[in-house]
């Protein structure tokens, strides 16, 4: 399916993550350019002529990544996300020997992916605090900037 067929869903997703005040045009143009470099394929669930969910698979570095799965908020909880993810996994496996997906450690999608048979192989996470006034002062007095 064409990348832009699910543009409305991409906008909803973006607003959920970043709020209503964000202009999405530039973001989507850049995301599309990056996805096209990775041989993007988009699957969409269509109801009454409109997309209600989609999955995106990108193939690069000898493997396929299920890089996005999104279901319209009004259609969540009925198994569509799982069905799209399973189909995306199959599509990715047809294109490359390895298929992976990234998920936040404590996020709802991770539980879905684990039910589909994925297992964690790498977990990363870093919490970074800005330097306090005291730390900056100490560094400055030690000849560091």
């Amino acid at each position: 399916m064409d990348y832009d067929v699910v543009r409305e869903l991409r906008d909803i997703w973006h607003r959920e993550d970043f709020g209503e005040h964000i202009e999405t045009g530039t973001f989507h143009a850049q995301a599309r350019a990056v996805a096209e470099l990775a041989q993007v394929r988009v699957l969409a669930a269509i109801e009454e002529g409109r997309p209600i969910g989609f999955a995106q698979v990108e193939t690069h570095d000898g493997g396929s990544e299920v890089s996005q799965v999104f279901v319209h908020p009004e259609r969540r909880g009925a198994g569509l996300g799982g069905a799209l993810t399973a189909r995306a996994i199959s599509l990715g496996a047809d294109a490359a020997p390895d298929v992976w997906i990234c998920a936040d450690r404590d996020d709802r999608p991770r539980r879905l992916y684990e039910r589909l048979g994925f297992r964690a192989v790498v977990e990363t996470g870093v919490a970074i605090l800005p330097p306090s006034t005291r730390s900056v002062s100490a560094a400055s007095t030690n000849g560091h900037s």
Side-chain angles (χ1 to χ4, degrees):
M1 183 148 296
D2 185 73
Y3 185 91
D4 290 322
V5 166
V6 297
R7 173 62 189 263
E8 181 181 346
L9 293 176
R10 292 179 193 280
D11 286 342
I12 293 168
W13 186 351
H14 199 266
R15 285 192 302 273
E16 281 184 355
D17 283 355
F18 301 107
E20 294 290 329
H21 64 283
I22 302 295
E23 186 280 320
T24 61
T26 302
F27 170 80
H28 288 307
Q30 291 172 346
R32 180 186 180 130
V34 169
E36 287 176 346
L37 291 173
Q39 302 172 15
V40 66
R41 283 156 296 154
V42 177
L43 308 166
I46 307 291
E47 183 176 84
E48 297 179 10
R50 296 190 69 162
I52 58 171
F54 77 96
Q56 180 170 302
V57 180
E58 299 175 10
T59 301
H60 48 84
D61 299 328
S64 291
E65 177 183 5
V66 179
S67 60
Q68 295 182 351
V69 178
F70 183 79
V71 175
H72 192 284
E74 294 174 2
R75 301 306 307 263
R76 293 177 184 157
L80 182 57
L84 284 166
T85 303
R87 179 66 183 110
I89 292 166
S90 176
L91 185 64
D94 288 345
D98 295 317
V99 179
W100 68 89
I101 194 164
C102 296
D104 291 338
R105 182 175 304 169
D106 299 320
D107 207 4
R108 180 179 50 88
R110 178 177 173 167
R111 292 186 298 276
L112 165 66
Y113 305 144
E114 287 172 343
R115 284 195 311 270
L116 293 170
F118 281 84
R119 68 188 190 312
V121 292
V122 175
E123 288 198 32
T124 62
V126 177
I128 300 173
L129 292 174
S132 67
T133 305
R134 182 180 157 164
S135 298
V136 172
S137 297
S140 296
T141 59
N142 291 329
H144 304 313
S145 54

